[in-house]
Structures are given as structure tokens and as C-alpha cells.
Amino acid sequence: MKTTPLHTENSPEKPALEVQGLQIGYPGANPPLSLCGTLEFDLPEGVLTAVIGVNGVGKSTLLRTLGGLQPAISGRIRIGGQPASGIPAASRARLQSIVLTEPPASRNLTVAELVALGRHPYTNWLGKLSPEDSRITGEAIRRMELEALRDRPCHTLSDGQLQRVLIARALAQDTPLILLDEPTTHLDLYHKVRILKGLRSIAHETRKTILFTTHEIDLAIQLCDRMLILQQAESVFGEPCELIRVGAFEELFPEDTVIFDPDSGVFRINK
């Protein structure tokens, strides 16, 4: 079944990301193994979108597929109006950045050095940073509140601090589309909120399109412009208020365990 797209305000601008007839999973299996229903959705510029769903439904697989790291079973992906399959790797690195959950191999670098790696698509073969590269790197460090840590080796950071560094590296890459796999993992509630509010500000102020996977559904409902609920049968896409109105969250978990309260917009344990 296809994604059910709910009514959202039409944007006069070309969508930053277009997904048409997309099936994700493992095309090499015999037969190909699809993790969820066929996906159809568009993301305009300047929106923050969360992908939610139960474990194993394909949240990380979707991100890897959109990022070109894993083949789709079928369907089309367009980035900035261009078919993603036809974009050379060097050009794609200027259109999208991606942060996965795997730790980086370069943890001996300082915070500033690791963030500066985001400028690689724009530097010469020596990797020398221009004044503009340094400015953008510094702005990414500032936005993620890493100034006090900029000279610290990354192997001395906590998991939560390192997560902020990796997001800063994606910001330094300065792409119109940013894909983040569980960016609030390892963070306490205060820093989860700070990260998501920061991502929302970046999307709205810089017109970047940010798509991230998360288990923080309550926070996503409050802070995101759009949400994609991945389900094995029929996924649903739309604004959080519309998803609440049609009862989409009530279908996410078994009601004998967790109940969604549409009045407060939070999940409650069924005692």
C-alpha cells in the first residue's frame, strides 16, 4: 500500500526532496524483502521532518536509501528536482549531507578538525580551507554550542558531545538537504530539546530541508513541521496536527501497552 499523504500547505517552490513509488528494504533477497509500504511524499525547502515507527520498520534503511548508500527495491528519488540516481557523487555531496549512527573512524581529530571535514566537497585536492570555509565551519560549531570544545580531541568526548560534533560537520557541509539518523541518541532530555529546537531554527532560518529519524515522538510532534509514520502496511505523512486529527498515532503501538492522548499530544502507559 502507498503512503497516505494528508493535506499540507502547497509551496510555490520546487520540492527539495521528492519520493515517488519508493519501496525500501533488501532488493538482493530472494524474493526482495520490503520493510514497509510504498512511500510517496515531497518535502519543500525549510522544513523539519521526523520519521517515526516501531523498531525494524525501516527508518534507518529509508535514510540510507535516500542518501544513496543503499539501493531501493523500486521507485524514484529526486533531490532539488534532479533524479538522484543520475547525480555524480561529487555533486551529490553538495546537495545532501548525512549523519548515521556509526561512530566516525577519525576520533583522533579535534572537534574543529572533524567539523571542518564537512567542507571537503568544496576544497581543493590538498583540503586547504579558504576563509569562507573557516567561517562556515565556525558557524556550525557555534550553532551546535561547541565553542568550548573546539580544541578537544574527539576521543575525549561523551557520546552526546560527539553526536553534536557530527551534526555540526553536516551543517558545515552546507547542503540544501540534511539527513540525520537519530540525532538525539545519548542525550538527556534538556539536550534533546536543544538539538531539535536548533535543527528547527536552522531549517526555518536557512531554508535547509532536514529529515531525521527518531524515537522521541512526543518531542517531534511539538517541534516538527512534517512527520512520516512508517508502518508495514500503509505509512502516513503530514503535519503533526493533521496526523493527530485523523488518529494516525493511535495505530502506532498496541493499545493494551501504550495509548496516545490526542488532547495533550503525548503517549501514556496503559496501566
Side-chain angles (χ1 to χ4, degrees), residues 253-261 266-271:
F253 301 112
E255 62 180 12
D256 62 340
T257 305
V258 181
I259 300 173
F260 182 74
D261 180 0
V266 300
F267 286 90
R268 303 188 186 280
I269 298 172
N270 188 351
K271 298 180 180 179

Side-chain angles (χ1 to χ4, degrees), residues 11-140:
S11 170
E13 300 173 342
K14 182 183 298 182
L17 176 67
E18 301 168 78
V19 173
Q20 300 172 330
L22 183 66
Q23 282 194 310
I24 60 169
Y26 301 94
N30 188 17
L33 175 61
S34 178
L35 296 179
C36 61
T38 303
L39 301 175
E40 300 258 1
F41 63 92
D42 294 346
L43 295 182
E45 296 178 354
V47 299
L48 178 65
T49 300
V51 180
I52 66 169
V54 298
N55 289 340
V57 77
K59 297 185 297 297
S60 296
T61 300
L62 172 61
L63 223 66
R64 294 178 64 87
T65 303
L66 295 176
L69 304 177
Q70 184 167 330
I73 295 175
S74 62
R76 295 179 297 279
I77 301 168
R78 297 175 70 89
I79 301 174
Q82 305 178 59
S85 58
I87 303 175
S91 299
R92 192 160 180 165
R94 297 190 178 202
L95 293 174
Q96 67 168 45
S97 50
I98 184 168
V99 177
L100 301 175
T101 53
E102 292 90 346
S106 49
R107 293 189 65 170
N108 286 327
L109 299 177
T110 66
V111 166
E113 289 170 339
L114 184 53
V115 174
L117 289 180
R119 300 304 300 162
H120 177 71
Y122 309 94
T123 58
N124 59 28
W125 66 278
L126 291 174
K128 183 176 177 58
L129 298 181
S130 69
E132 179 67 2
D133 292 324
S134 297
R135 184 193 67 77
I136 293 173
T137 298
E139 174 64 13

Side-chain angles (χ1 to χ4, degrees), residues 179-193:
L179 307 172
L180 305 170
D181 197 5
E182 299 192 31
T184 56
T185 299
H186 308 305
L187 300 179
D188 57 47
L189 179 59
Y190 169 76
H191 285 97
K192 290 178 193 290
V193 173

